[in-house]
Amino acid sequence: MKLPRLGLLATVLVATLFSMACGLSHSKWADIHYSNGYGFSKQGLYEQAIKEYDKAIELNPTLAKTYVNRAAAYLQLGQFQQAIQDSDKAIQLDPAHALGYANRGRAYLELGQLQQAIQDLDKAIEIAPTQSGAYYIRGIALQGFGQPELAKQDRTRACELNRKLC
């Protein structure tokens, strides 16, 4: 028996009904895609992670953490403008999300925009004073900005917070 082809509207309707029947909302599907993206990132599979984060954002565009993690994946791929855009969105959604500022600061550092990098990293540290990565990255930016003593202080603080950075 050959099944009839479904149009786009019918396909969406069937998917929605299936989701409802399974008890999974858009939010739950978004969480599943977010988790998949996180898993891919942990494995170093950043392109696959971005695809999963894209799906999560399509289903629930209000979660700052998804933009933060997609920005981190873009950073790993050297796609700094995309990382800045996602960080901007994360900060817009949650101005108290330190990693949004830290990711954007790192992207600015990679682009040689040291003053913007330092400003964002200052904000990340203000929000989360135990964020070792923000101190480490700010130390690099400060060194490039001609402030070696402040850079040394940040590197020391980063090491105090996380021995893996030493």
Side-chain angles (χ1 to χ4, degrees):
M1 177 174 130
K2 188 174 182 181
L3 296 175
R5 290 189 63 178
L6 297 176
L8 179 60
L9 183 59
T11 302
V12 170
L13 180 61
V14 168
T16 302
L17 290 173
F18 178 76
S19 294
M20 290 171 55
C22 293
L24 295 176
S25 66
H26 283 299
S27 180
K28 293 291 182 193
W29 280 111
D31 290 344
I32 290 167
H33 288 294
Y34 171 84
S35 295
N36 290 342
Y38 186 80
F40 282 131
S41 285
K42 286 294 188 189
Q43 297 174 49
L45 302 170
Y46 302 111
E47 290 172 353
Q48 291 91 330
I50 289 168
K51 289 178 185 176
E52 288 297 318
Y53 292 138
D54 289 345
K55 292 174 187 174
I57 288 168
E58 184 179 319
L59 293 166
N60 187 355
T62 64
L63 291 176
K65 69 180 184 177
T66 309
Y67 292 96
V68 165
N69 284 12
R70 190 171 70 175
Y74 281 133
L75 285 169
Q76 293 298 320
L77 295 173
Q79 298 176 14
F80 306 121
Q81 290 298 335
Q82 292 90 334
I84 289 169
Q85 289 172 3
D86 273 0
S87 297
D88 288 344
K89 185 65 177 178
I91 291 165
Q92 176 190 1
L93 290 169
D94 183 1
H97 204 304
L99 289 177
Y101 293 98
N103 284 343
R104 191 169 70 183
R106 180 170 166 220
Y108 282 136
L109 172 66
E110 297 288 350
L111 293 171
Q113 299 173 17
L114 300 180
Q115 189 159 358
Q116 293 93 327
I118 292 167
Q119 288 173 352
D120 275 342
L121 295 161
D122 286 347
K123 185 67 174 176
I125 291 166
E126 176 188 320
I127 294 168
T130 59
Q131 181 60 253
S132 61
Y135 284 100
Y136 184 81
I137 297 165
R138 188 174 72 177
I140 295 168
L142 287 166
Q143 185 71 39
F145 206 63
Q147 298 182 345
E149 287 303 315
L150 291 176
K152 183 179 177 182
Q153 289 174 15
D154 273 0
R155 285 192 303 272
T156 300
R157 182 65 179 138
C159 286
E160 289 169 355
L161 292 168
N162 183 350
R163 293 312 247 166
K164 292 178 184 178
L165 295 175
C166 300

